[in-house]
Amino acid sequence: MINKPRGTEDILPIDSPLWQKIEEAAREVCAAYGYKEIRTPVFEDTSLFQRGVGDTTDVVQKEMYTFEDKGGRSITLRPEGTASLVRSFIENSLYADPQPTKLFYLISCYRYEKPQSGRLREFHQFGIECFGGTSDATDAEVIALALSFFEKLGVKGLKLNLNSIGCPVCKKEYNEKLREYFSKHTDKLCETCKTRLEKNPMRIIDCKSEICSAIAQDAPKMIDHLCEDCQGHLDKTVKYLDAMGIEYIIDPTIVRGLDYYTRTVFEITSDALGAQSTVCGGGRYNGLVEELGGKPTEGIGFAAGLERLVMIMKSQGLDKELTADTPDLFVAAIGEAADIAAQKLVFDLRKVGIHAQRDLCERSVKAQMKYANKLGAKFSMVLGEDEINNNQAEIKNMETGETSTVVLTTEAIRSILES
Ligand code: HAM
């Protein structure tokens, strides 16, 4: 037997209604905020993520699914959506007129991580990106959209954690302070973090190793070293959040695992998740479009992990009232002529959108009715020689047991099903 690859999951029919509900909520909330759907390739040129996500990040250093294709190109399965969207934004000149350009996506992502609860190698994200929104209200809008999405689904107990990681100007000075601090502990840092000390000391704060994160606890915090503009940006952002009645916690330890962020960063967490408690993460990335070859354009967005969201929703019983679609009508048949007529009848009914089922396992009529019950069919009918000759049959409401006679046309059957 061949099993699914480690760190992947089958989304089985029993869970599909929940996934569909999540996707529908994402589309509805995006429509209300004016975000349009975009779909980009599952794989991209490896250099897009090296430059976009950052070559000192765990994602790029340890977790990418990278391979050479038959043409000798280095290809990577997308570990996230933002870099791909920036690429597409530039390549297709999606500079909306008037600005900003508001995009959303529902995608699968691939990271070679150690699988555990809430951490997979193939997982799914609902994300949005807003390009060209210069006002601080953009940050507040993006956060509000994320929270509206969870609220629409009835998810409770989420926490919004917010931080600012500054701009290249204040980050430069701050990085010096971090180097000074971490160089006192160099010998204890993991090998990866030793190399990060020079190139990107902020990454050490986000290291998953226990020793590095213990050392990082007392490291200087960016929020205490913001320049005037960045502080002003944070103050204004929270003012908008306050106006909308959105609660938040300023968490100076958030640095995020990807390199492109500037200023606002945020994470939405749930106690229902255990160790991998972040269901949604995002932030501003003002330099990324330019870094990837586009005109200087501000960007901000987030991505929510859908497997983690499914876990939360199940733990809160939000999957309970969702049931799979059941047949409107089951058509049973006795004898060859009726069997052929049943085939034609369900074909015609399905064409007009009626969910009609018939037996496909050569069951006796008794077994066909048992099967109709198991499927949860709302109505049933039995076709035999008489029914075919008279072009009418008894239709039975499976819940009340009531029967009536119906002519075997789609219109007549539909009017009974809808009555
Ligand atoms: P991220 O924090 O790497 O950000 O991922 C966003 C969310 O994806 C996480 O909060 C988590 O729920 C889910 N996730 C990440 N890795 C895994 C995994 N291995 N297994 C299951 N779920 C996972 C980004 O991806 C950024 N592109 C977000 C963003 C958009 N920032 C700005 N725009």
Side-chain angles (χ1 to χ4, degrees), residues 71-92:
R73 301 167 198 92
S74 181
I75 295 293
T76 294
L77 302 186
R78 64 178 165 219
E80 58 111 48
T82 310
S84 303
L85 257 73
V86 173
R87 190 231 2 101
S88 181
F89 174 76
I90 300 167
E91 191 169 344
N92 298 294

Side-chain angles (χ1 to χ4, degrees), residues 285-301:
Y285 46 88
N286 284 351
L288 187 57
V289 176
E290 198 178 359
E291 166 69 31
L292 292 176
K295 295 185 215 156
T297 309
E298 297 78 2
I300 176 163

Side-chain angles (χ1 to χ4, degrees), residues 59 63 79-83 105 109 111 113 116 118-125 127-129 256-258 260-261 267-268 273 276 278-285 300-309:
V59 170
E63 296 167 2
E80 58 111 48
T82 310
Y105 49 95
C109 299
R111 296 186 193 176
E113 295 204 72
Q116 52 179 274
R119 185 180 283 164
L120 291 150
R121 290 182 175 168
E122 181 188 63
F123 59 98
H124 296 80
Q125 288 186 341
I128 69 157
E129 310 295 345
R256 309 274 304 126
L258 313 157
Y260 43 65
Y261 293 108
E267 290 181 348
I268 299 173
L273 284 175
Q276 310 306 320
T278 307
V279 64
C280 177
R284 209 168 242 289
Y285 46 88
I300 176 163
F302 71 76
L306 299 189
E307 282 79 4
R308 292 186 193 176
L309 176 56

